[in-house]
Amino acid sequence: MTWQTLGLEPHLYNYLLSVSLREPEILMQLRQETARHPLGKMQIAPEQGQFIALLLQLIGAKKTLDIGVFMGYSSLLMALTLPIDGIVVSCEKSEEYAAIARHWWQQAGVANKIDLHVAPAKETLHHLIETGGTETFDFALIDADKSNYEIYYEQALQLIRPGGLIAIDNVLWSGRVADPQIQDNRTKKLRTLNQKLHQDRRITLSLVPIGDGLTLARKVMNANC
């Protein structure tokens, strides 16, 4: 996990931010607070967040999924980006993190645009599928426990409309996926998912080396989920 793009020397990374980052003040404050948390590296990089915001604008997103809220940065980013009638359905199993996220969403004045479900994401996504949510979402970000990534992907693929986009974070896993000496469960799960996505004809695919690696999977029009 990393809070900045892999493989960039500090001087080049700082230059990248200096000529491109347009991070709202409230997002910067949340990111700085998150960086002080012992698990702060779970936070997406600011340049990655800005890239996601651009994608949301490009596809005209109004309804999104945030699978893995942590302290609320990605949900806040989406809520700030979506139009006034947009909605972010957020999945977080920790009430501790959910409480922190709610505070920041309220501070930003966008809490009314975020529908938070404090429960295991698999349960929330299953409920959405069972209650008519299939093919009603424009975008999904998967950034939660790596062992369940494949399940989240399959559920998100059902919920995303044809032409919609799924973004999957940490797919390069700080380079561990490319090291055959590393055989822990999470790394192996990510390798398996990466290989599956490469062969999955239900999507068009690009793995972007931003942050810790971000896979973009666009659901094709005739996808059979």
Side-chain angles (χ1 to χ4, degrees):
M1 294 176 285
T2 177
W3 51 45
Q4 72 172 62
T5 292
L6 291 171
L8 295 180
E9 295 293 335
H11 72 284
L12 182 55
Y13 179 68
N14 290 333
Y15 177 77
L16 180 155
L17 296 183
S18 73
V19 299
S20 68
L21 188 62
R22 297 177 177 180
E23 186 178 38
E25 179 70 22
I26 190 72
L27 277 175
M28 183 180 69
Q29 292 173 6
L30 173 52
R31 179 166 58 87
Q32 290 173 342
E33 177 174 313
T34 304
R36 294 190 287 269
H37 191 279
L39 298 177
K41 284 192 175 182
M42 294 199 302
Q43 174 63 64
I44 63 172
E47 68 276 12
Q48 185 177 0
Q50 184 166 292
F51 179 62
I52 289 171
L54 177 61
L55 293 174
L56 295 178
Q57 293 169 333
L58 287 171
I59 67 172
K62 286 190 173 183
K63 187 178 181 184
T64 67
L65 272 171
D66 189 16
I67 304 169
V69 169
F70 190 34
M71 293 173 67
Y73 187 94
S74 53
S75 288
L76 178 54
L77 169 87
M78 292 185 199
L80 291 170
T81 304
L82 295 183
I84 192 168
D85 58 343
I87 186 72
V88 183
V89 177
S90 299
C91 306
E92 175 54 57
K93 66 180 180 180
S94 166
E95 182 56 58
E96 176 187 354
Y97 294 147
I100 296 170
R102 286 192 194 99
H103 165 76
W104 284 98
W105 300 340
Q106 290 165 358
Q107 288 288 104
V110 295
N112 62 309
K113 295 170 71 176
I114 302 174
D115 179 16
L116 176 63
H117 296 252
V118 183
K122 288 186 292 185
E123 296 178 9
T124 298
L125 298 174
H126 177 73
H127 176 73
L128 291 171
I129 292 167
E130 291 296 304
T131 55
T134 300
E135 296 192 345
T136 65
F137 287 83
D138 302 301
F139 177 87
L141 174 63
I142 300 175
D143 186 16
D145 54 301
K146 312 312 169 194
S147 297
N148 285 311
Y149 259 29
E150 185 172 355
I151 295 172
Y152 301 149
Y153 168 68
E154 290 293 343
Q155 291 177 311
L157 197 59
Q158 293 184 61
L159 290 163
I160 291 293
R161 62 169 172 83
L165 191 64
I166 301 172
I168 308 171
D169 194 26
N170 303 119
V171 293
L172 293 181
W173 204 224
S174 298
R176 291 192 288 273
V177 289
D179 186 346
Q181 301 299 315
I182 299 177
Q183 294 294 328
D184 64 276
N185 182 62
R186 289 185 297 174
T187 303
K188 289 194 292 184
K189 289 277 190 177
L190 283 168
R191 284 194 193 110
T192 299
L193 177 62
N194 288 340
Q195 292 164 357
K196 172 178 177 169
L197 292 169
H198 188 217
Q199 302 299 324
D200 194 341
R201 300 305 172 188
R202 299 172 296 176
I203 60 169
T204 53
L205 175 70
S206 181
L207 196 168
V208 183
I210 191 171
D212 194 23
L214 185 71
T215 288
L216 303 178
R218 178 181 178 271
K219 184 175 177 177
V220 301
M221 294 300 180
N222 59 348
N224 182 5
C225 299

